[in-house]
């Protein structure tokens, strides 16, 4: 029996600018988007990029506190971070443990 080896060229290669030590980068998938997050001290990722795998577009989320208008008046925003990248935009975990969508509340 002959077995053929097939190799498939990737449809798209996407560069995501991340500077972190090995083991400090986390990748999550949600609705055709990837969230690439990295940790530079502490337990949870503070910086991230959303990657649209269909278009190759990369969106940076380096200041998650500024993504939500309620953070202008809510002190619980001091340790916010992007937890997922949905088709409607980023889902942000606020410092007080609440999850908020950049457009609507997610409970």
């Amino acid at each position: 029996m002959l077995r053929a080896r097939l190799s498939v060229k990737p449809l798209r290669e996407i560069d995501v600018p991340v500077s972190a030590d090995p083991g400090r980068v986390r990748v999550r998938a949600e609705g055709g988007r990837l969230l690439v997050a990295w940790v530079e001290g502490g337990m949870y990722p503070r910086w991230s990029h959303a990657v649209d795998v269909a278009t190759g577009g990369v969106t940076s989320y380096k200041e998650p506190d500024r993504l939500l208008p309620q953070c202008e008046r809510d002190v619980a925003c001091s340790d916010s971070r992007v937890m997922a990248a949905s088709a409607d935009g980023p889902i942000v975990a606020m410092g007080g443990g609440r999850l908020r969508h950049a457009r609507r509340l997610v409970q």
Side-chain angles (χ1 to χ4, degrees):
M1 176 195 255
L2 290 175
R3 292 187 183 190
R5 285 191 165 179
L6 299 175
S7 65
V8 178
K9 186 176 179 179
L11 177 64
R12 178 179 324 312
E13 290 185 24
I14 303 168
D15 291 322
V16 180
V18 173
S19 66
D21 293 330
R24 305 300 277 173
V25 177
R26 298 181 184 144
V27 179
R28 299 180 71 174
E30 180 81 30
R33 287 174 171 51
L34 297 175
L35 183 70
V36 179
W38 63 99
V39 180
E40 291 187 13
M43 202 165 129
Y44 300 105
R46 295 276 303 148
W47 300 279
S48 59
H49 294 296
V51 179
D52 185 323
V53 295
T55 66
V58 177
T59 303
S60 175
Y61 300 121
K62 289 192 176 185
E63 296 184 32
D65 293 339
R66 294 183 182 207
L67 293 172
L68 301 171
Q70 57 268 46
C71 285
E72 293 176 11
R73 63 184 182 285
D74 193 337
V75 294
C77 290
S78 62
D79 291 325
S80 299
R81 60 194 177 276
V82 175
M83 299 301 291
S86 74
D88 292 329
I91 297 176
V92 179
M94 296 173 68
R98 296 172 285 170
L99 290 179
R100 302 247 175 169
H101 194 282
R103 293 187 191 164
R104 57 185 163 75
L105 176 65
V106 176
Q107 300 249 353

